[in-house]
Amino acid sequence: MVELTQNAGKAKTLGSWLMTPWALSVALLTGAAVLDPGNFRSVVEFTLAALGSTARYILFAVLLLAYLKSTGAETMVARAFEGRETRMILLAALFGGLAPFCSCEVIPFIAGLLALGAPLSAVMAFWLSSPLIDPPTLLITAGALGWPFAIGKAVAAVALGLFGGFAIKLLRGRGGFANPLRKQQSQSCCGCGGPKPDAKPNWRFWNEEKRRVKFREEFVSNGLFLLKWLALAYVLESLLVHYVPAGVIAGLVGGEGVLPIATAALVGMPAYLNSYVAPPLLAGLMEQGMSAGAAMAFMVAGAVSSIPAMAAVWSLVKPRVFAAYLGLGVSGAILSGILFQLI
């Protein structure tokens, strides 16, 4: 009986590992080795070179995120929701691009703000900008696509937050979106909870044992998280560059005009990959003929429509607010792509 239990535990562990990015990376490389052994070395070398070129960004991103988490810096975001509504929208859009939240933490944080009477306009500004960029994502994007694209994405995040916030402010002024919350609010999916508005960060985290432990835990967990997803991303990019004809990509999302950008935004929503995987894949797509504007629209739309972001919105607010969130996100993604293409 004990042996059966142990075997079942091993099988469960093996099954869990087979569903990880590590296993998928190994499976893809194995497939390339079996199906095209002549190009296997080239695929591996491309993957390792791309991962190596991003290593310094990964290290800095992990250190920065561990520091922000251990100091409690995310608690400063609550200050954006104080004062006049216009000021709240401006600060919420800005802090949304800086806050190192996990998708679980956003849910109770936003629910608490809405329950306490924070205007939906400011909450929408934060919600639209927060999935798009944060310090680690900025660095990973810069490593894969260059600083102009990374800065453009950061600007697009803040601009999208402002666009959504002021749009909701205008609609609320005309009587729309009263009582946005659902009656039954979802709880945090991981039990971690959101930041407390009255908490204060401790920038010298090393003075407290609990915060030092937090720093170590965040450094290891985020380092492994970034490494596994970026390894998969660069394997996918290598396969894309080696085996997908450039004409196919260029025909769908290449060239000038609004149509390729709109197409990329619409494709980006259901095809979303997390913010650490998307930049390397977009680098491969751009090598194959994807326009810069289409790449920006793809990334913005994908981040807004990510499963954690949409689940958080759907679990908290009424369908009308959810529809507004998606509509503002997609239209903002297309506008971001058009403006980035022009610049």
Side-chain angles (χ1 to χ4, degrees):
M1 185 68 179
V2 174
E3 184 177 352
L4 288 175
T5 303
Q6 291 176 342
N7 290 337
K10 291 179 181 179
K12 184 177 180 180
T13 302
L14 178 60
S16 299
W17 186 84
L18 291 175
M19 300 298 290
T20 64
W22 296 118
L24 185 54
S25 297
V26 171
L28 291 171
L29 290 175
T30 302
V34 172
L35 298 174
D36 188 14
N39 275 328
F40 176 69
R41 181 175 178 178
S42 177
V43 170
V44 173
E45 288 177 347
F46 183 100
T47 302
L48 293 177
L51 190 60
S53 68
T54 318
R56 62 185 184 276
Y57 295 103
I58 298 174
L59 178 61
F60 188 79
V62 172
L63 287 170
L64 178 60
L65 190 56
Y67 177 75
L68 292 173
K69 284 290 189 179
S70 61
T71 59
E74 68 269 24
T75 60
M76 296 178 63
V77 176
R79 299 175 188 174
F81 298 89
E82 299 173 353
R84 294 185 176 183
E85 185 175 1
T86 298
R87 174 185 176 278
M88 287 190 230
I89 295 172
L90 292 171
L91 291 179
L94 178 62
F95 278 116
L98 299 174
F101 284 144
C102 74
S103 58
C104 298
E105 289 171 331
V106 171
I107 299 174
F109 180 71
I110 294 297
L113 288 171
L114 287 173
L116 290 172
L120 178 62
S121 55
V123 173
M124 184 66 75
F126 182 83
W127 235 329
L128 286 169
S129 61
S130 61
L132 274 171
I133 199 76
D134 54 45
T137 303
L138 179 69
L139 293 170
I140 297 303
T141 303
L145 297 168
W147 278 106
F149 195 98
I151 293 171
K153 185 185 176 186
V155 172
V158 176
L160 181 59
L162 294 174
F163 170 64
F166 283 110
I168 294 297
K169 183 177 184 293
L170 178 63
L171 292 173
R172 284 183 70 243
R174 296 182 178 180
F177 302 113
N179 302 317
L181 278 174
R182 291 178 182 268
K183 292 183 179 180
Q184 300 295 327
Q185 298 176 12
S186 296
Q187 302 298 318
S188 171
C189 57
C190 63
C192 56
K196 297 177 175 59
D198 58 346
K200 294 181 179 180
N202 181 359
W203 301 113
R204 297 183 178 183
F205 73 91
W206 52 86
N207 292 330
E208 298 180 27
E209 175 62 24
K210 184 178 180 180
R211 292 181 184 271
R212 292 197 298 269
V213 171
K214 179 71 171 177
F215 180 87
R216 289 194 296 268
E217 290 175 348
E218 291 290 337
F219 180 82
V220 172
S221 63
N222 286 300
L224 291 174
F225 177 85
L226 282 177
L227 185 61
K228 70 182 180 183
W229 281 109
L230 285 172
L232 173 60
Y234 285 122
V235 168
L236 291 171
E237 181 189 0
S238 181
L239 296 175
L240 178 70
V241 170
H242 280 84
Y243 298 112
V244 177
V248 174
I249 305 300
L252 289 174
V253 288
E256 305 295 329
V258 177
L259 184 58
I261 295 173
T263 301
L266 294 175
V267 171
M269 292 184 66
Y272 174 77
L273 296 167
N274 72 45
S275 297
Y276 305 112
V277 177
L281 280 184
L282 284 175
L285 289 169
M286 290 176 73
E287 287 183 22
Q288 301 292 82
M290 187 181 205
S291 69
M296 182 64 71
F298 181 96
M299 186 172 285
V300 172
V304 170
S305 66
S306 69
I307 292 175
M310 286 202 297
V313 179
W314 180 258
S315 66
L316 293 178
V317 298
K318 295 178 180 178
R320 180 183 295 184
V321 180
F322 180 78
Y325 172 85
L326 284 185
L328 290 168
V330 175
S331 58
I334 294 173
L335 287 173
S336 299
I338 293 172
L339 292 174
F340 190 73
Q341 184 81 359
L342 291 175
I343 295 173

